[in-house]
Amino acid sequence: MEFERLYAPSLKELFVQQLQDRILSGDLPMGTKLPPERELCQQMRVSRAVVNSGVTELARQGFLEIRPRQGTYVADYRRNGNLDTLVAIMHYNGEILGKDEIRSILEVRWGLEKMAVARAIDFASDAELEALGIHVTALGVLPAAAQAAELAFSFHHDMTIAGGNTILPLIYSSFKAPCTVLWIRFCRKYGVAALYANVERLYRHILNRDKGNAEKWVDDYLSEAVEGSQQIYQG
């Protein structure tokens, strides 16, 4: 039996993670001026080098803006962000994501999911579609929330692979961390049976290659999550 080597994050990484968490959760709104570096050092009990390198990294990621002779401000990462910003958001655990960020993730997933469903129906083989049923059957046993979320992700990810687009599965993988957390939250609020019902119904439409009803069902259950009776903005 082998175990992975344990890894302790550096103080710089902890500094960056804490500020990312507070920015993404809305605790540090866009436009907020950070305290001077000397004050941050005292409050967080780290060296000036840790704060300076951490602030530089967060500026590179699009979360902070360093204004000469004015100070450091929380940036509008939607305007100033880049691929590094997206990677940081995708690795964020999602437990304290703000409502706007959760809604944005769900809306992006909405568009991607309809594309994935249409491609699976048009291009996947019968064997590939039947293989998706393995995840649905396992989900129907109603496992714990964390396992149910993993099964839901595996179903959707395998669906994108079956559709034949080489980039779409990679995009889905990049969304795994926040989407899995949101599925867990959904299960805790509404039950694993509700998640199973959503996935199972979608699977039946895909298996029947019924694109119209499959896409309509995606619209139905994601609209409920975004603005209907199954919202997941609060844990």
Side-chain angles (χ1 to χ4, degrees):
M1 181 180 296
E2 295 184 1
F3 296 91
E4 294 183 3
R5 177 181 176 181
L6 295 178
Y7 168 71
S10 67
L11 287 175
K12 173 190 169 183
E13 290 170 326
L14 291 173
F15 174 87
V16 168
Q17 181 181 344
Q18 182 175 140
L19 264 70
Q20 284 176 345
D21 288 355
R22 296 189 65 180
I23 292 170
L24 290 171
S25 69
D27 189 42
L28 283 176
M30 297 171 189
T32 300
K33 183 178 181 179
L34 294 188
E37 287 190 1
R38 182 177 301 174
E39 186 175 335
L40 284 174
C41 293
Q42 293 173 347
Q43 290 185 20
M44 303 179 78
R45 298 186 179 183
V46 294
S47 69
R48 188 75 174 265
V50 167
V51 172
N52 185 266
S53 61
V55 166
T56 300
E57 175 67 15
L58 287 161
R60 186 182 66 82
Q61 293 178 353
F63 290 110
L64 296 179
E65 179 185 358
I66 303 171
R67 302 176 188 174
R69 298 183 297 278
Q70 295 184 46
T72 301
Y73 294 79
V74 177
D76 184 347
Y77 57 82
R78 299 167 300 180
R79 294 182 180 275
N80 303 311
N82 49 52
L83 184 58
D84 290 324
T85 317
L86 178 61
V87 170
I89 293 173
M90 291 302 97
H91 282 86
Y92 182 62
N93 67 19
E95 286 288 359
I96 52 175
L97 274 173
K99 181 175 180 179
D100 288 344
E101 283 71 25
I102 292 174
R103 184 185 181 100
S104 296
I105 289 171
L106 291 173
E107 288 174 342
V108 170
R109 181 188 151 199
W110 197 336
L112 293 174
E113 199 150 308
K114 290 185 74 172
M115 176 183 174
V117 164
R119 288 195 60 88
I121 290 173
D122 286 342
F123 301 111
S125 67
D126 290 342
E128 287 174 318
L129 294 187
E130 289 175 4
L132 295 176
I134 295 173
H135 306 303
V136 181
T137 300
L139 190 56
V141 178
L142 305 183
Q147 185 181 355
E150 287 288 338
L151 289 167
F153 173 80
S154 295
F155 170 83
H156 286 86
H157 189 241
D158 285 358
M159 177 178 65
T160 66
I161 294 172
N165 183 293
T166 58
I167 301 300
L168 196 54
L170 304 180
I171 297 175
Y172 257 76
S173 290
S174 72
F175 275 82
K176 181 177 181 179
C179 283
T180 299
V181 168
L182 295 181
W183 267 318
I184 292 173
R185 182 181 297 183
F186 178 91
C187 290
R188 289 173 178 167
K189 288 175 70 72
Y190 306 109
V192 174
L195 177 60
Y196 167 71
N198 287 347
V199 175
E200 194 275 335
R201 185 167 175 179
L202 177 62
Y203 176 59
R204 281 192 283 111
H205 291 317
I206 293 173
L207 195 61
N208 293 331
R209 298 191 187 271
D210 186 346
K211 188 186 297 185
N213 278 321
E215 292 181 342
K216 182 179 182 301
W217 182 237
V218 172
D219 287 338
D220 288 347
Y221 70 73
L222 281 174
S223 65
E224 288 298 306
V226 170
E227 54 190 12
S229 62
Q230 293 185 332
Q231 295 180 19
I232 49 176
Y233 298 120
Q234 296 180 347

